[in-house]
Amino acid sequence: MKLDILVFGAHPDDAELGAGATMAKEIANGKKVGIVDLTRGELGTRGTAEIRDAEAAKAAQILGVSVRENLEFADGFFVNDKPHQLEIIRMVRKYQPEIVLCNAIDDRHIDHGKGAKLVSDACFLSGLVKIDTKVDGGEDWQEPWRPKLVYHYIQWKNLNPDFVVDVSGYMEKKKEAILAYGSQFFDPNSEEPQTPISSKNFLDSVEYRARDLARLIGTEHAEGFNVERFVAVDRLTDLV
């Protein structure tokens, strides 16, 4: 299956929090979108890996993504080395996305910055013809593939975006997907330990960040992204 957009997240729920409304909008516009989680989030204070597996599947169904996979890297301990890069390369070559979205370049959780660099490096390496990969136990060698664009969504830290996407009309779908992770986010009846993302303030921040970014472009809601290299446009009018 060829995808238009492949979204990587270090943990289940990263993709939804960072780019959930953008994914929902692209899917509504007919694009094929997939998610690859690097870990099962097994070190999370709340919930379990099995609970988060089920929550991720529910969130994927809500968003309408075409596929969701989990590479089962070690939460907190994966590194940017050849074995991990090759696993990312296999996913990129398997789905051949034009665009890759991945973790924030810099963030509070150490896995986010690591995940950002790992995916970015692997996307470049995926285009090299002398790197041989197979996938899913198949016998055929994969063809090289390099995404045209790699963008980083914004997470805990309020990074200055290089561009924003107008996602007005898609925030409710994003919030519904986020709330599929009942073990992780605000629940006044939960007896689980409190974490930085389990507060009502954090859940509210998803809305007010989207509104603040949208304020800058005169819309209702927006999501921000960072880039590592120049983005080319055909005409000035391509920049809204």
Side-chain angles (χ1 to χ4, degrees):
M1 178 192 303
K2 186 185 185 316
L3 299 175
D4 299 296
I5 302 168
L6 186 57
V7 186
F8 287 90
H11 313 103
D13 72 32
D14 283 357
E16 290 87 349
L17 285 167
T22 298
M23 286 191 284
K25 181 175 183 177
E26 294 292 350
I27 291 166
N29 288 329
K31 299 297 185 183
K32 289 186 177 181
V33 179
I35 299 174
V36 174
D37 301 308
L38 303 188
T39 78
R40 298 173 70 199
E42 64 270 18
L43 292 185
T45 301
R46 295 160 66 104
T48 64
E50 291 74 20
I51 288 173
R52 298 188 76 173
D53 289 344
E55 292 171 342
K58 182 179 178 181
Q61 184 177 29
I62 290 168
L63 288 173
V65 299
S66 298
V67 66
R68 185 168 204 156
E69 296 202 39
N70 195 302
L71 295 177
E72 299 188 17
F73 293 167
D75 190 11
F77 293 98
F78 71 83
V79 295
N80 185 5
D81 63 4
K82 182 177 179 179
H84 289 85
Q85 290 166 356
L86 285 172
E87 291 301 312
I88 303 294
I89 290 169
R90 290 186 180 98
M91 291 294 101
V92 172
R93 290 177 173 181
K94 179 179 180 179
Y95 293 113
Q96 299 184 342
E98 303 299 322
I99 298 173
V100 162
L101 306 181
C102 58
N103 286 100
I105 295 172
D106 176 42
D107 212 38
R108 180 187 69 88
H109 197 299
I110 62 170
D111 280 354
H112 295 171
K114 285 193 299 179
K117 182 62 173 169
L118 169 59
V119 171
S120 179
D121 288 352
C123 283
F124 174 81
L125 293 170
S126 184
L128 300 182
V129 298
K130 292 185 178 179
I131 295 178
D132 296 324
T133 56
K134 296 179 181 179
V135 72
D136 294 339
E139 296 182 359
D140 296 332
W141 295 104
Q142 293 180 302
E143 293 295 324
W145 183 269
R146 182 176 293 145
K148 291 184 175 67
L149 300 164
V150 177
Y151 298 140
H152 299 267
Y153 46 81
I154 294 172
Q155 298 185 259
W156 180 270
K157 291 185 178 181
N158 287 322
L159 304 181
N160 290 323
D162 294 313
F163 69 91
V164 298
V165 176
D166 177 11
V167 294
S168 303
Y170 296 94
M171 276 300 293
E172 289 307 312
K173 181 70 72 174
K174 170 176 179 162
K175 288 189 284 188
E176 185 182 356
I178 289 170
L179 291 174
Y181 294 91
S183 69
Q184 300 302 303
F185 301 112
F186 177 70
D187 178 356
N189 299 315
S190 176
E191 296 182 358
E192 293 263 23
Q194 293 299 303
T195 71
I197 65 171
S198 70
S199 69
K200 187 176 186 299
N201 185 32
F202 177 80
L203 192 60
D204 289 344
S205 76
V206 174
E207 173 77 21
Y208 61 67
R209 170 185 274 172
R211 285 194 175 277
D212 188 52
L213 289 175
R215 173 184 60 82
L216 302 175
I217 60 172
T219 65
E220 289 298 314
H221 295 100
E223 288 180 328
F225 297 87
N226 292 117
V227 300
E228 295 182 56
R229 58 179 184 268
F230 290 120
V231 176
V233 296
D234 184 45
R235 297 173 298 170
L236 285 177
T237 52
D238 291 339
L239 295 169
V240 178

